[in-house]
Amino acid sequence: MLTFTLRRLLLAVPTLLFISLVIFLLLEASPGDPLGDVPLTVPPEVKERMREALGLGQAWYIRYALWLKQFFWVEPLYWFDGVFGTAFSDGMQRIISFQSRSPVFDVIAQRLPQTLTVVGMSYLVGVLIAIPIGIISAYRQYSWFDQLGTFVSMVGFSMPTFFTGVVMIIVFAVNLQWFPSVYDTTHRVTDWDSFMVQVRQMVMPVTVLALYNAAQISRFMRASMLDNLGQDYVRTARAKGLSERVVVLKHVLRNSLIPVVTVIALGLPTVFGGAIITEQVFKVNGLGQLLISAIHANDIPMVLTLTFLFAILIVLFTLIADILYGVLDPRIRYD
Amino acid sequence: MTDTERQQALNTAELVDETAASAGLTGTLPPDTPQVAGGETRSQWRDVWRQFRSHRGAMIALALFILTILFVSVGPWLWTIDPTYVDIRARNSGFSAAHPLGTDQLGRDLLARLMAGGRVSIAVGLTAMVIAILLGSLIGVLSGYFRRLDAPLMRMTELFLALPLLPLLLLMVTLFREPLSKNFGPATGIFLLIVTAIGATSWMQAARIVRGEVLGLKEREFILAAKSIGTPPHRMILRHILPNVLSPIMVAATLGIATAIITESALSFLGLGFPPDFPTWGRLLFDAVDQMVLYPWRVILPGLFISLTVLCVNYIGDGLRDAMDPRIRGR
């Protein structure tokens, strides 16, 4: 298991390098100009100096290597300094955003909590809804609950989050006025009342994302339960007189959760991607909103770093899913 | 005679044949006129269709999907208002005889815009799906059939699977919309861009499925037989492999339409899809969001169309999978 993990980790390095190169070259091939918004009255030689200052003067491979150095060496050093109070990164250039002229990672650190609370909560809620639904609809296959559950999960799966989000805003924010339609990220939780405000503003984005995730996961859960319910060991468990509760919730559920857990791990990075849309609907200024505004402003370092972070998440969670599969199911041996 | 009745007749005939055959062994002599093979046979596709028809959800979905396609293709012949015609005096009107679904903030007829938008959305879905399936099947068959290509092609598939797709799509669309619209005109340029972008980023699942199927098929006797009579690889793939992996490809294709439609409308919703005077369902939804408090219907209608189409396509895919693979029926 350890050798497998190490091998996969080593393999992840070239994968990630390749992905970063693809993103970098894609940005490089773009006709957009980060200085496009500079007024025309600025003389060309000044513009050229501005270009130099942004680091755009060199050849692309030098800038790529520089970015790699900043991402993998300077930023970790800076973080290390921040934690232990050392001064290794003094005088080193961090990745700077074109838009705000501040370090990219500082901006990301400001936006991350919003995305994590909304996306994390919604995934958690989604999983908590999906698993019981999957269990019941597999146990009572073809019952009205199962039919309804399958239909609802099909619908939830087919409705894009930007539509469900907008409909929820129309119904609950505009007509019923239960929840605010805009997520206020400056809100601080200090006491019970402000906590309730936070809960109220989180309800809608979390529900939208949770429903979408629950729809997918519950289908996996149901299929996996159905696979296991027909197995011989279930008959044996029943035959030796175990109560139905123990059979289903202990024997079958445990075995059925193995593939579902990996699906949950695999789905997590895509949820961050999907959150881009939900954040746009509810005006949450998280990572997705940051990415979109950076794309519009031709902020190359920001786009590159953010997209690369998404790629890291995907590679990491694929690895986690594979390892979890091996840990949970002793029959699976990678070595 | 309907299909079902004919099949039932065939089933009974088969049963009679079986019992008669065993009776012949024990009792009387076989008949003088042996039964001629041939006549009415069951083709695989008729069996699939019969099975598909028993899936009620899929049948309803198929009917609705055909209705939607008729709505967007034949609709503009019947409802001849130009979707881009600006009638500023009739702006923001509600449901009326002149504009059954009302008009938008520029007085453009919403019904006509929904038809035109659906055309583009469904065309994008279908074309992107075709690209993705062609790419996916090609890569899947190549890596499943030729052992030497397997490792590099699968590495590449894994690389593509690790790409953050939505951010990359956003990036591609923003970066290349200007040059492409200059070269091909705004509508065609963006269409080509979006279709290739979606197609190039969604072939991986199909490739993996096809590769798995091909690997399994390669061990079968009929492939060995075909190989032993000297069938060259290209004919082997076209005649023996592809027809046998057609069913998983078709299921993947149907589900691919749904994803492509959703992706296109998501791009449009983020303001990075088609230009404003070129309606698609996602674009209509995006345009209406600003005024959703006053005119909620303008948001709900395009959204409903997107969801309904995707739901139908998903149900059809479900039904197809059930019909083609009896082992997983009911999952």
Side-chain angles (χ1 to χ4, degrees), chain A residues 15 18 26 30-31 141-142 151 154 157-158 162-163 166 169 219 222 227 273 277 281 295-296 303 307 310 314, chain B residues 159 162-164 166 171 174-175 262 265-266 269-270 272 292 299-300 303-304 307 310-311 314-315 318 330-331:
Chain A
T15 313
F18 178 81
L26 204 62
S30 76
Q141 196 187 2
Y142 303 129
F151 180 71
M154 269 305 228
F157 186 67
S158 306
F162 52 85
F163 179 52
V166 167
I169 288 182
R219 281 179 73 79
R222 174 172 179 271
D227 267 343
I277 296 166
V281 173
I295 286 179
H296 279 302
V303 176
T307 324
F310 280 121
I314 296 179
Chain B
L159 270 180
L163 289 174
L166 191 61
L171 212 58
T174 343
L175 299 181
I262 288 214
S265 46
F269 180 78
L270 295 173
L272 293 169
M292 64 183 170
V299 179
I300 292 175
L304 267 185
S307 313
V310 173
L311 183 68
N314 277 336
Y315 255 105
D318 220 39
R331 294 291 154 87

Side-chain angles (χ1 to χ4, degrees), chain A residues 14-253:
Chain A
T15 313
L16 283 175
L17 279 181
F18 178 81
I19 291 173
S20 69
L21 187 64
V22 167
I23 304 168
F24 187 86
L25 289 181
L26 204 62
L27 280 168
E28 201 53 35
S30 76
D33 184 2
L35 293 179
D37 291 339
V38 173
L40 287 171
T41 47
V42 174
E45 61 268 19
V46 177
K47 226 172 175 175
E48 205 49 48
R49 290 231 305 278
M50 286 167 80
R51 200 175 286 278
E52 290 285 325
L54 287 176
L56 286 171
Q58 282 124 348
W60 66 267
Y61 48 86
I62 296 183
R63 276 182 290 133
Y64 177 60
L66 198 66
W67 179 82
L68 279 184
K69 183 196 162 202
Q70 287 174 338
F71 191 93
F72 286 106
W73 182 242
V74 180
E75 292 293 342
L77 269 188
Y78 181 82
W79 175 82
F80 188 83
D81 286 352
V83 176
F84 296 102
T86 48
F88 290 121
S89 65
D90 278 2
M92 286 184 183
Q93 177 68 53
R94 298 179 65 196
I95 307 176
I96 299 290
S97 154
F98 286 173
Q99 265 176 305
S100 56
R101 310 297 298 149
S102 55
V104 165
F105 274 89
D106 289 358
V107 184
I108 293 178
Q110 288 165 11
R111 302 295 188 92
L112 193 61
Q114 285 87 291
T115 301
L116 273 187
T117 33
V118 174
V119 172
M121 268 303 280
S122 65
Y123 209 53
L124 202 68
V125 173
V127 170
L128 288 181
I129 299 175
I131 288 181
I133 291 182
I135 297 174
I136 299 175
S137 40
Y139 189 65
R140 304 213 178 284
Q141 196 187 2
Y142 303 129
S143 66
W144 65 267
F145 185 89
D146 181 29
Q147 307 275 5
L148 189 74
T150 313
F151 180 71
V152 169
S153 78
M154 269 305 228
V155 172
F157 186 67
S158 306
M159 292 226 282
T161 46
F162 52 85
F163 179 52
T164 32
V166 167
V167 168
M168 285 193 86
I169 288 182
I170 291 176
V171 174
F172 294 109
V174 177
N175 287 344
L176 296 175
Q177 311 230 325
W178 286 356
F179 308 114
S181 74
V182 174
Y183 187 93
D184 177 12
T185 37
T186 56
H187 182 72
R188 292 272 160 275
V189 177
T190 46
D191 52 0
W192 180 251
D193 286 340
S194 61
F195 176 72
M196 285 315 287
V197 172
Q198 174 71 15
V199 168
R200 279 185 39 183
Q201 69 175 351
M202 274 179 67
V203 167
M204 283 204 298
V206 168
T207 317
V208 166
L209 269 179
L211 281 182
Y212 188 70
N213 297 324
Q216 285 174 314
I217 298 171
S218 71
R219 281 179 73 79
F220 275 109
M221 189 69 218
R222 174 172 179 271
S224 171
M225 284 290 283
L226 279 178
D227 267 343
N228 275 294
L229 275 172
Q231 300 272 331
D232 289 343
Y233 74 84
V234 180
R235 198 192 310 132
T236 312
R238 282 190 182 131
K240 71 181 180 184
L242 290 182
S243 71
E244 201 58 22
R245 203 186 147 81
V246 175
V247 172
V248 174
L249 291 186
K250 223 168 169 181
H251 292 224
V252 181
L253 179 62

